Amino acid sequence: MANSHNAQRRLALRFVGEVQGVGFRWVSRRIANDIGLTGWVRNEWDGSVSMELQGTDDQIATFFGKFPHGWGAYPPNYTIAESEEIDTRDDEGIFGVLF
């Protein structure tokens, strides 16, 4: 029987606020890849940032624990405007920045 802590899940997220022009995508990529998450992040035309993040519950919790500290003493002010559980994918090896 598989341990539920090892089960993969995937979240579709939309961030709003101070999310473009502050290194948001690059900090996301660095932290996600350090943890072993897969997915992607991209800027949207409306000034928001979209992200799909895939990993275990523990990996995702670690990501959100480290993310606010990715900028050192000056983290950006942002809110998660949307969060939805979506189907996992098995065709990704890394977390990337989309353009």
Side-chain angles (χ1 to χ4, degrees):
M1 180 191 292
N3 182 339
S4 64
H5 289 287
N6 293 325
Q8 295 284 304
R9 59 190 290 224
R10 190 174 186 95
L11 299 175
L13 304 156
R14 188 170 69 89
F15 298 85
V16 297
E18 195 178 0
V19 295
Q20 291 192 15
V22 294
F24 197 92
R25 294 173 297 161
W26 309 106
V27 169
S28 300
R29 183 182 72 172
R30 179 177 47 81
I31 294 171
N33 283 319
D34 286 351
I35 297 167
L37 294 162
T38 60
W40 54 264
V41 62
R42 74 172 172 232
N43 284 346
E44 299 296 347
W45 64 271
D46 64 358
S48 68
V49 169
S50 293
M51 179 186 295
E52 288 189 10
L53 188 65
Q54 181 171 312
T56 65
D57 284 341
D58 290 343
Q59 288 173 311
I60 292 169
T62 299
F63 175 86
F64 283 111
K66 291 182 175 207
F67 192 64
H69 308 289
W71 289 267
Y74 301 102
N77 184 14
Y78 67 88
T79 302
I80 299 173
E82 297 173 20
S83 177
E84 178 183 2
E85 191 92 23
I86 60 174
D87 291 338
T88 59
R89 294 179 53 175
D90 60 3
D91 62 344
E92 295 173 322
I94 63 168
F95 184 93
V97 173
L98 302 182
F99 295 96

